[in-house]
């Protein structure tokens, strides 16, 4: 249960900055192709937005990147806060500051920045995901769940939102609601081996081994090399 939630949160907090690589690159390797593709697409659209920034803001962004490459996150934060002051309508900068705060352990401060990002750009799916991730890391599961409910209401056909919602419900010991959310995730897009594996794990804990096996097999049909699904399937009683 907690491992499932942890895998979901890796996606929440994984993509750190405006232009630098993901800070949790090794952990992100546990994610499936569907998650990786969604994160890649989000990063590509972010890069396009950065390229349209005025030269002065692009220069600040370069300073942020240089500071992070040097391991100086405090300097990166100072420059990003200056960037936020100069561009008060830029949701991406606020997302970056939230992720940076989260990686520094300031999850409450991170949540404030994510709230600002959502207010400026309510159609950014990952702003909700990051906010829910910060709330979950603070053990504020009810409010994390509420954030995912806002996400799935706005994006009713996005499987990743339902997967995070299901994982939170599972962590809150609401297995029936969690399974319903997983089923919504499975019917949504993108098709995800991770989601089907998570669903299988819940079914397994409920003693529904035949259904769990089917879910793992479906996961491997979506992504034949997905190691978590293969391992789970192999560990089922014969």
């Amino acid at each position: 249960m907690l491992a499932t939630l942890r895998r979901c949160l890796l996606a929440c907090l994984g993509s750190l900055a405006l232009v630098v690589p993901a800070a949790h690159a090794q952990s992100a390797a546990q994610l499936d192709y569907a998650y990786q593709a969604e994160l890649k697409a989000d990063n590509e659209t972010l890069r396009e937005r950065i390229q349209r920034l005025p030269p002065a803001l692009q220069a600040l962004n370069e300073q942020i990147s240089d500071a992070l490459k040097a391991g100086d996150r405090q300097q990166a934060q100072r420059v990003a806060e200056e960037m936020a002051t100069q561009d008060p309508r830029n949701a991406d900068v606020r997302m970056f500051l939230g992720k940076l705060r989260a990686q520094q352990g300031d999850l409450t401060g991170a949540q404030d920045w994510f709230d600002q990002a959502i207010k400026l750009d309510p159609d950014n799916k990952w702003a909700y995901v990051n906010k829910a991730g910060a709330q979950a890391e603070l053990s504020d599961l009810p409010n994390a769940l509420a954030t995912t409910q806002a996400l799935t209401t706005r994006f009713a056909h996005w499987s990743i939102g339902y997967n995070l919602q299901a994982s939170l419900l599972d962590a809150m010991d609401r297995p029936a609601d969690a399974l319903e959310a997983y089923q919504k995730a499975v019917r949504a897009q993108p098709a995800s081996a991770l989601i089907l594996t998570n669903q299988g794990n819940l079914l397994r804990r409920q003693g529904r081994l035949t259904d769990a096996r089917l879910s793992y097999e479906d996961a491997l049909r979506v992504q034949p090399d997905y190691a978590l699904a293969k391992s789970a399937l192999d560990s089922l009683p014969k």
Side-chain angles (χ1 to χ4, degrees):
M1 180 191 317
L2 295 179
T4 297
L5 182 55
R6 173 61 57 182
R7 282 196 297 273
C8 291
L9 296 182
L10 292 175
C12 302
L13 302 178
S15 182
L16 174 63
L18 297 184
V19 292
V20 301
H24 290 302
Q26 280 188 308
S27 297
Q30 299 176 32
L31 301 175
D32 70 351
Y33 293 158
Y35 264 85
Q36 292 173 28
E38 289 287 299
L39 287 166
K40 181 179 179 180
D42 184 65
N43 284 335
E44 287 302 317
T45 59
L46 175 57
R47 288 177 190 275
E48 292 171 4
R49 291 195 296 272
I50 290 168
Q51 291 170 359
R52 295 195 295 269
L53 289 173
L57 294 177
Q58 289 196 36
L60 289 175
N61 187 61
E62 286 296 326
Q63 291 180 39
I64 293 169
S65 181
D66 291 343
L68 288 170
K69 289 173 184 175
D72 190 347
R73 293 190 177 184
Q74 290 185 342
Q75 174 63 8
Q77 181 176 320
R78 284 192 291 269
V79 177
E81 288 173 349
E82 172 61 24
M83 195 173 177
T85 299
Q86 292 192 27
D87 194 2
R89 301 295 301 171
N90 191 316
D92 294 327
V93 177
R94 282 145 183 82
M95 278 278 286
F96 166 74
L97 281 162
K99 292 174 185 178
L100 188 59
R101 289 287 185 90
Q103 296 221 345
Q104 292 172 329
D106 180 9
L107 294 166
T108 300
Q111 189 180 158
D112 290 340
W113 285 112
F114 295 142
D115 278 332
Q116 291 184 42
I118 290 169
K119 185 175 181 180
L120 288 169
D121 183 9
D123 287 328
N124 188 327
K125 302 171 185 175
W126 293 102
Y128 299 88
V129 173
N130 277 278
K131 179 182 175 181
Q135 291 169 317
E137 290 282 2
L138 286 166
S139 299
D140 187 5
L141 299 187
N143 279 321
L145 178 61
T147 299
T148 67
Q149 288 167 338
L151 171 63
T152 56
T153 296
R154 196 168 190 92
F155 302 98
H157 303 291
W158 195 47
S159 60
I160 288 172
Y162 289 113
N163 184 48
L164 179 55
Q165 186 175 106
S167 300
L168 288 163
L169 288 162
D170 196 7
M172 296 170 72
D173 197 25
R174 294 171 56 182
D177 292 332
L179 185 57
E180 181 180 353
Y182 279 133
Q183 291 168 345
K184 290 178 180 178
V186 169
R187 292 193 295 268
Q189 293 295 321
S192 165
L194 184 152
I195 292 172
L196 285 158
T197 302
N198 288 345
Q199 177 181 256
N201 292 340
L202 175 54
L203 290 164
R204 181 176 187 162
R205 293 201 313 273
Q206 292 179 323
R208 297 170 57 180
L209 299 187
T210 299
D211 290 336
R213 182 181 299 277
L214 291 172
S215 197
Y216 296 144
E217 289 172 347
D218 285 344
L220 291 172
R221 275 189 280 273
V222 170
Q223 184 177 324
D225 64 349
Y226 190 55
L228 290 177
K230 188 176 188 307
S231 175
L233 183 60
D234 290 345
S235 68
L236 281 174
K238 302 299 183 184

